[in-house]
Amino acid sequence: MENFNTKEIIAIVLKNKKAIILVTILAAIASTVVSYMLKPKYKSYAVVFPVNLSPSSEESNTEQLLQYFNSEEVKNTVATKFDLYKHYEIDTAAAGSKSLFDLYFKSNISISPTLYESIDITVKDESPQMAKDIAQSLIDETNIFIRAIKKQRLGEYITNSQRIIELENRRIDSTNTKINELRTEYNIIDVTSQAKYLSKKMMENKPLTETDKKLFEGLRNKNTELEKLWNASEGQMKTLGEFKDQNDKYLLDYIGEISFTNVVSKPTLPDKKFFPVRWLIVSISTLSAFALAALFFILSNKSVRKVD
């Protein structure tokens, strides 16, 4: 087993301190130059809460909204809107351009849930205005995308609802037709008043006309059937009203411009770059160069190695 003697290590470092210092200084200069060559990036933030969404399966509203934000449709729409392939200097004709774009997109755009069931949107870009615009567009396009899906579903609901309304209208028409046929055939207008009229006439032993006889037959034999038809008609009308109310709600949601994101914090316009942090780059590079140079001279000098 080999061990390093601390005193000998210090001695080797001090012996080669000029070379180590030189390497460290050169690394500091090089890292400083490189840090100034790096293009600055700015970061825009936004925070939104989900609204007007219905929970689906085991997903929460936040999880559902997050999936919409991370959808290919939203990503592609934003990419087209801002010509991000060109902005990221990606040749669309080159092999693997889509994979490369996805890598750039994910490295520059972060959409993640917070502990408070909100969604944090972070966009990094060399242009502060572009960072803000992309963040805002992500919110806008996600709303548009959800609205389109909801409209498609509502369109199906409206179509089915209207079919049911038409069916219910036909049932009501059929019931009303039967009622009118019975009333016309037996000259029934108002059951209560006509029944009183016949009772009074019969009690006074007044002769019944043919019309009265027909009315009497209708009231005696068809009154129960008429009552059932009237009750059925009332029930059908009530059901029809409920279907129409529901259909109106579908139509209201369909034509309405509903938002599905409650913006708690609007996309910020950054006024200070977050990258590069020059002092951090220079510090890490300088310390790394110092450590590597020292390690090189230590390992090069076999005299510091001892065998137990």
Side-chain angles (χ1 to χ4, degrees):
M1 182 178 178
E2 295 181 344
N3 290 324
F4 290 105
N5 186 290
T6 304
K7 291 183 179 179
E8 289 180 325
I9 291 174
I10 295 173
I12 292 171
V13 172
L14 292 175
K15 180 181 177 181
N16 297 281
K17 63 180 180 181
K18 290 184 178 179
I20 294 174
I21 292 172
L22 179 61
V23 170
T24 303
I25 292 172
L26 290 174
I29 295 171
S31 60
T32 302
V33 172
V34 170
S35 70
Y36 276 95
M37 292 174 63
L38 293 172
K39 293 180 179 180
K41 278 193 173 184
Y42 299 85
K43 190 183 292 185
S44 178
Y45 297 96
V47 179
V48 300
F49 272 100
V51 289
N52 298 320
L53 287 173
S54 302
S56 176
S57 184
E58 299 297 322
E59 291 180 336
S60 67
N61 288 348
T62 301
E63 291 170 331
Q64 192 178 160
L65 181 60
L66 189 63
Q67 289 195 42
Y68 286 123
F69 265 113
N70 288 317
S71 66
E72 286 291 309
E73 286 78 4
V74 171
K75 180 184 72 175
N76 292 334
T77 302
V78 172
T80 302
K81 184 176 181 179
F82 294 98
D83 200 3
L84 291 184
Y85 275 86
K86 183 179 180 180
H87 184 66
Y88 293 151
E89 298 179 353
I90 299 173
D91 183 5
T92 55
S97 59
K98 187 180 184 305
S99 297
L100 182 60
F101 172 76
D102 288 342
L103 184 64
Y104 270 92
F105 193 86
K106 289 178 181 178
S107 64
N108 288 318
I109 297 172
S110 172
I111 304 171
S112 57
T114 70
L115 294 174
Y116 306 102
E117 295 297 315
S118 61
I119 292 178
D120 179 75
I121 302 167
T122 304
V123 179
K124 295 173 282 187
D125 200 89
E126 295 170 8
S127 164
Q129 187 62 51
M130 176 70 88
K132 178 187 176 183
D133 291 345
I134 290 176
Q136 184 61 56
S137 184
L138 284 166
I139 297 172
D140 295 340
E141 295 303 330
T142 298
N143 271 309
I144 292 171
F145 179 50
I146 299 174
R147 201 174 295 132
I149 293 175
K150 293 286 185 182
K151 280 194 174 184
Q152 182 180 4
R153 187 180 303 168
L154 285 168
E156 295 172 356
Y157 291 165
I158 291 169
T159 299
N160 292 334
S161 179
Q162 288 175 345
R163 287 175 181 170
I164 294 173
I165 289 172
E166 290 174 4
L167 178 62
E168 200 63 27
N169 274 323
R170 287 198 294 269
R171 290 177 61 192
I172 291 171
D173 289 342
S174 176
T175 302
N176 288 338
T177 298
K178 292 178 181 178
I179 292 173
N180 290 332
E181 286 175 351
L182 287 174
R183 294 180 67 178
T184 301
E185 182 179 354
Y186 296 99
N187 195 31
I188 299 174
I189 300 172
D190 186 322
V191 173
T192 303
S193 61
Q194 287 180 312
K196 287 181 179 179
Y197 163 76
L198 289 177
S199 297
K200 183 178 180 182
K201 201 168 185 180
M202 293 173 68
M203 288 176 65
E204 293 175 354
N205 292 321
K206 292 181 180 180
L208 298 178
T209 65
E210 290 300 320
T211 302
D212 291 340
K213 292 178 181 179
K214 193 74 172 177
L215 176 61
F216 178 78
E217 181 186 352
L219 293 176
R220 185 178 62 180
N221 299 325
K222 300 297 182 180
N223 185 47
T224 302
E225 184 179 350
L226 268 174
E227 285 185 1
K228 288 181 179 179
L229 289 171
W230 276 325
N231 290 335
S233 179
E234 288 179 3
Q236 290 166 354
M237 289 296 295
K238 183 178 178 181
T239 301
L240 178 63
E242 292 172 354
F243 286 148
K244 285 184 175 180
D245 288 343
Q246 186 61 59
N247 188 65
D248 289 341
K249 291 178 182 178
Y250 292 149
L251 286 170
L252 184 63
D253 289 341
Y254 186 84
I255 64 176
E257 294 298 318
I258 301 173
S259 177
F260 300 94
T261 54
N262 185 9
V263 181
V264 179
S265 178
K266 294 181 179 180
T268 57
L269 180 62
D271 57 359
K272 184 179 179 181
K273 64 179 177 61
F274 83 96
F275 175 85
V277 183
R278 293 192 175 92
W279 69 266
L280 185 61
I281 294 173
V282 173
S283 299
I284 293 174
S285 300
T286 302
L287 290 173
S288 299
F290 174 82
L292 289 172
L295 185 62
F296 172 77
F297 286 110
I298 291 169
L299 294 178
S300 297
N301 194 328
K302 295 182 180 180
S303 63
V304 298
R305 299 181 180 180
K306 292 183 179 181
V307 179
D308 291 341

